[in-house]
Amino acid sequence: MTGKRLLSALSAAAIALSATGCSSKKEEKKQEIKEFTGFYCARNDSIAEDNDIQKIIAEKTGCLLKEEWIEDQADMDKVFSDMMISGKYPDFISPDAGNCQRLIKENAFIPLDNYWDDYPEIKALYTDAQWDIVRSEDGHIYYIPLFSAVYKEDSSTVHDGEAFWIQIRVLEWANYPELKTLDDYFGLIEDYIAAHPTDENGQPFIGYEIQANDTRFFALDNPPMFLEGYPNDGCCIVDPDTLEAKDYNLLPTARTWFKKLNEEYGKGIIDPECFVMETADYYDKILTGRVLGMVDQHWNFASSERELPPECRYIPFGLTIDGKIQERYHDRIAFNASTGVGISTSCSDPEGAVKFISSLLDPEIQNLRFWGVEGVDYFVNDEGLFDQTEEQYKQWRSKDYIAKHICEYSYMPRYLGMAPDGINAYTSTNQPIIFYDRLDPVIKKCFDAYGAKTYTDFLNPAPENPPWYPMWSFDNAVTEATDYGKVMKQMQEVKHKYMPLMVMSDDFDKTWNEYEQAYNATDPQVYFDELTAEVHRRCSHQTAG
């Protein structure tokens, strides 16, 4: 679409959205736009000041949101401590789980449930049982969980969770092998590097990368849980028969995992700088295209991956310890009760902020956020399905176009799954008629070799989430205010100290034994008893709901 046609279509859309159909001269007066501020504890790119769709949404809702994202190297606790000390907050806040609870205790959020009678669209996001999990001790609800509301059915084409990822060019070189075990995975990387020590620029490949810092440690910590065939409860594995939360940190599988990493580190396959990197260094290394594989959650590196050429993109594999256990890497969209977005007590127009949240859930606004402007970003075919031309597909995924034109308000409430019409996926990325047909030939060739139409097809289908799932949403909100919280903190300190040492050690058995002794000294069962109690509480909530 040419620049003139784009401008014309946008102008028409803005006029259509802002028109009231009323001849009153008072209503002809230009609508005053209310500006809100928001701070989000997430890594994201800012949109342009004159973003097209943000302006259209502002005309439609009367509100505009200025989003601020946390910086890569920022100390999250200090950021929120400074806010609490000053007593001044942005209008909307989406904190990490621990600071969410701190903000509630500091009375930094307004009680949202006070407004539900007038804005039922917000309450309708979740069931009463789900809201009860979020409810504070005083009976109020202070934040809205994000990325947890599904309309009709999950339409995911991308696996956003954890997996063993490997570059497409490595798979193509090996004629697309099956990878089921740690030996399969690391053996392929070793073989590829032996045949290709450097990239086309003469730079050495990084066989396997690990992000393991204070804020991102799961790639080193929790693979034993997956290797045992359990889903991502994060902090434990739950016996579905006894509802007991069990510890995986000292299982034989955990020892095998760290022993394997130790061996690969000794062979030079693992990046020797992995444990001294800053957060930004990890993403920068992925952007070089030289990182052949890693364990990660896709949402954590997706923005970097989008900048890579097709042959350097990653495919997920669900490894297990013996290659026979059924893997459970892909899950259904889970209810994350540990944090969300709330409205601060500094907001001068709290009801206006609640109304804005409600407006963002309107079907027309949701389509604008995730599909864009009809005729500019997509068209409707004869079957009523949203589709994109080749040009629309490319521009919707262009970094410059995203900044100038697209406004998702991604950390504000929304529905996942299907669009409000119940026919289309909520976003073009998940639309079946678009996703597979528009894949780059290099990626499509890989998909075809494995019989896949989506990234989720590389993993086992996800069963229904059990009522306690996921336990990481409880773990994330635990603080040192309780005995079990103090034990959890001690456990984390031991793991942060010894897990990197086990990977780098010249005497693995000795370091493992030291780790085991230090870990047991924290009395971890105190923590796992509380996790078991929380499993039972969640099961009882669902029964009551």
Side-chain angles (χ1 to χ4, degrees):
M1 180 172 288
T2 66
K4 289 182 179 180
R5 288 174 62 198
L6 174 61
L7 181 61
S8 175
L10 283 171
S11 299
I15 291 169
L17 287 170
S18 60
T20 62
C22 179
S23 60
S24 168
K25 291 184 178 179
K26 290 182 179 179
E27 291 189 13
E28 288 177 5
K29 184 178 179 181
K30 185 177 180 181
Q31 181 183 17
E32 182 179 349
I33 303 299
K34 172 74 178 180
E35 187 172 300
F36 291 108
T37 58
F39 180 79
Y40 304 90
C41 194
R43 181 176 178 263
N44 213 340
D45 294 323
S46 297
I47 61 176
E49 285 288 328
D50 60 346
N51 182 279
D52 298 325
I53 291 176
Q54 185 181 52
K55 289 190 290 187
I56 296 173
I57 292 175
E59 289 293 326
K60 182 66 176 175
T61 65
C63 300
L64 186 146
L65 175 59
K66 294 289 186 180
E67 302 164 297
E68 182 182 354
W69 307 96
I70 197 162
E71 297 178 0
D72 281 341
Q73 308 301 331
D75 182 331
M76 287 187 286
D77 290 341
K78 185 179 186 305
V79 168
F80 289 107
S81 291
D82 289 346
M83 286 186 192
M84 288 182 267
I85 290 169
S86 71
K88 296 178 181 179
Y89 306 97
D91 299 315
F92 294 97
I93 311 174
S94 181
D96 62 307
N99 283 301
C100 186
Q101 296 306 311
R102 291 177 65 204
L103 289 164
I104 290 172
K105 290 178 181 178
E106 289 292 323
N107 299 312
F109 287 132
I110 67 166
L112 294 169
D113 47 312
N114 286 349
Y115 297 87
W116 275 354
D117 289 344
D118 294 326
Y119 302 100
E121 297 84 1
I122 298 175
K123 185 179 181 182
L125 275 166
Y126 301 112
T127 66
D128 289 343
Q130 288 172 318
W131 283 121
D132 283 342
I133 297 174
V134 178
R135 199 176 299 277
S136 292
E137 292 179 358
D138 65 3
H140 284 299
I141 291 167
Y142 292 98
Y143 60 90
I144 301 171
L146 299 173
F147 316 115
S148 303
V150 180
Y151 182 62
K152 284 191 175 289
E153 62 187 44
D154 186 3
S155 60
S156 300
T157 54
V158 174
H159 174 64
D160 261 345
E162 194 160 327
F164 282 80
W165 301 87
I166 193 164
Q167 281 192 351
I168 287 175
R169 64 173 157 193
V170 179
L171 297 171
E172 182 179 26
W173 173 79
N175 197 27
Y176 307 106
E178 291 292 333
L179 303 177
K180 295 182 177 295
T181 66
L182 292 173
D183 286 344
D184 293 341
Y185 179 83
F186 283 106
L188 175 56
I189 292 174
E190 289 177 28
D191 291 345
Y192 185 85
I193 288 180
H196 309 84
T198 62
D199 67 8
E200 60 276 11
N201 298 314
Q203 296 297 310
F205 282 112
I206 299 170
Y208 186 82
E209 190 58 89
I210 303 174
Q211 186 182 37
N213 53 40
D214 289 341
T215 57
R216 296 281 189 270
F217 203 70
F218 52 78
L220 182 62
D221 179 9
N222 72 23
M225 171 186 65
F226 288 105
L227 291 168
E228 280 283 303
Y230 285 88
N232 187 21
D233 272 306
C235 54
C236 64
I237 55 180
V238 178
D239 186 317
D241 298 320
T242 65
L243 300 183
E244 179 185 359
K246 297 182 177 181
D247 189 352
Y248 58 75
N249 288 288
L250 298 180
L251 291 177
T253 293
R255 192 181 191 284
T256 300
W257 162 242
F258 286 104
K259 177 68 172 174
K260 187 64 177 177
L261 291 182
N262 178 268
E263 292 171 357
E264 297 301 325
Y265 188 88
K267 296 174 182 177
I269 297 300
I270 295 176
D271 181 8
E273 298 178 344
C274 63
F275 298 123
V276 295
M277 290 191 303
E278 299 290 345
T279 300
D281 295 334
Y282 175 74
Y283 303 112
D284 288 343
K285 290 193 177 188
I286 289 176
L287 283 169
T288 66
R290 295 187 296 116
V291 175
L292 301 182
M294 69 279 188
V295 167
D296 201 349
Q297 301 202 29
H298 188 258
W299 56 262
N300 187 45
F301 70 93
S303 61
S304 299
E305 186 191 29
R306 281 194 292 269
E307 302 298 313
L308 295 174
E311 67 274 11
C312 295
R313 303 285 180 91
Y314 295 91
I315 298 295
F317 283 87
L319 308 185
T320 60
I321 195 63
D322 62 2
K324 299 176 183 177
I325 301 171
Q326 287 295 305
E327 54 88 357
R328 287 287 308 278
Y329 285 77
H330 188 62
D331 54 8
R332 300 198 182 194
I333 295 169
F335 182 66
N336 179 11
S338 65
T339 187
V341 64
I343 299 170
S344 80
T345 51
S346 294
C347 181
S348 62
D349 184 10
E351 182 161 7
V354 174
K355 183 179 179 181
F356 180 53
I357 291 175
S358 180
S359 297
L360 290 178
L361 297 172
D362 178 84
E364 186 176 11
I365 303 301
Q366 176 131 327
N367 279 347
L368 276 168
R369 292 167 70 188
F370 301 107
W371 276 98
V373 178
E374 183 179 349
V376 176
D377 301 306
Y378 69 97
F379 66 93
V380 183
N381 70 17
D382 293 339
E383 287 76 42
L385 295 176
F386 296 175
D387 203 347
Q388 292 177 318
T389 65
E390 188 68 29
E391 183 180 0
Q392 288 169 339
Y393 177 86
K394 288 179 179 178
Q395 71 182 10
W396 189 255
R397 287 151 183 82
S398 160
K399 188 172 183 178
D400 291 341
Y401 191 77
I402 289 170
K404 183 183 183 304
H405 181 73
I406 299 173
C407 177
E408 292 187 346
Y409 286 139
S410 55
Y411 271 70
M412 295 294 283
R414 51 154 147 170
Y415 283 100
L416 306 177
M418 302 302 289
D421 61 15
I423 301 172
N424 294 284
Y426 88 94
T427 178
S428 65
T429 306
N430 291 9
Q431 188 80 327
I433 63 170
I434 293 177
F435 181 79
Y436 177 77
D437 288 346
R438 296 293 197 282
L439 285 175
D440 183 273
V442 171
I443 301 175
K444 185 178 285 189
K445 181 181 177 183
C446 181
F447 273 48
D448 291 344
Y450 288 99
K453 296 292 185 183
T454 69
Y455 284 98
T456 59
D457 288 342
F458 285 87
L459 303 167
N460 286 339
E464 291 284 351
N465 291 333
W468 66 80
Y469 189 81
M471 287 301 294
W472 54 256
S473 66
F474 174 78
D475 172 86
N476 284 356
V478 171
T479 69
E480 294 180 73
T482 61
D483 289 340
Y484 63 84
K486 291 183 178 69
V487 170
M488 183 195 76
K489 178 66 173 177
Q490 294 168 5
M491 290 162 53
Q492 289 176 339
E493 289 173 350
V494 169
K495 292 198 286 185
H496 280 246
K497 175 182 177 180
Y498 279 98
M499 287 182 174
L501 291 177
M502 286 190 287
V503 176
M504 298 184 292
S505 177
D506 292 330
D507 188 343
F508 175 80
D509 292 339
K510 179 176 180 291
T511 310
W512 172 268
N513 290 337
E514 291 173 354
Y515 162 63
E516 188 173 24
Q517 184 177 3
Y519 183 84
N520 283 329
T522 67
D523 198 9
Q525 196 55 46
V526 170
Y527 176 61
F528 286 93
D529 286 345
E530 183 60 30
L531 291 180
T532 296
E534 178 64 15
V535 170
H536 285 270
R537 280 192 290 269
R538 292 186 175 191
C539 289
S540 65
H541 272 306
Q542 186 173 66
T543 302

